[in-house]
Amino acid sequence: MNSEDATIAAAVGKQRDSIAQAIEVIADRLRSGGRLIYIGAGTSGRLGVLDASECPPTFNTDPSQVVGLIAGGQRAMSGRGRCGRLTQCGRRRSQSLNLSDKDVLVGIARAGARPT
């Protein structure tokens, strides 16, 4: 585990320009009244929900400004919920948010994974 952890900084460094660009887009959209919406399944989804839930107490944001969606809904937070396809769950859940062109939807997946 420690050996794998040691590779993180280099991997992030290789993506530095893409990450910086994403940060600028997200910051601009938030400043214009948009939202940051994370969507994922399993552990990836739980981490998105966790990050979204930390924004109000840590950064004093409105709870609706950063949103975390997880395939399988609330039950999936404890590993009990299941959804056969992330795209189906994501479509249903994101439609209820009334997305606009000001919002940023960020899909989170484990390395090498591709949502189905």
Side-chain angles (χ1 to χ4, degrees), residues 14-106:
K14 289 179 184 176
Q15 300 300 318
R16 183 178 65 199
D17 293 340
S18 296
I19 293 168
Q21 184 179 5
I23 290 169
E24 290 300 321
V25 168
I26 293 166
D28 286 345
R29 301 275 180 95
L30 290 174
R31 280 192 288 271
S32 70
R35 298 170 293 173
L36 170 59
I37 300 157
Y38 295 119
I39 186 167
T43 299
S44 300
R46 283 187 283 280
L47 292 173
V49 171
L50 175 64
D51 190 69
S53 70
E54 279 298 317
C55 288
T58 303
F59 302 109
N60 199 31
T61 63
D62 184 285
S64 66
Q65 191 175 27
V66 182
V67 178
L69 300 178
I70 182 171
Q74 184 62 36
R75 285 181 50 104
M77 288 300 293
S78 64
R80 294 186 320 245
R82 296 258 183 233
C83 183
R85 297 177 60 84
L86 176 58
T87 53
Q88 290 172 346
C89 287
R91 189 176 303 115
R92 284 193 306 264
R93 301 283 313 281
S94 63
Q95 285 174 343
S96 68
L97 292 174
N98 299 316
L99 297 174
S100 79
D101 58 357
K102 292 181 181 180
D103 298 325
V104 178
L105 183 64
V106 175

Side-chain angles (χ1 to χ4, degrees), residues 1-11 111:
M1 188 181 302
N2 286 338
S3 296
E4 274 302 306
D5 285 350
T7 67
I8 294 170

Side-chain angles (χ1 to χ4, degrees), residues 86-87 108-109 113-116:
L86 176 58
T87 53
I108 307 171
R114 190 177 73 142
T116 60

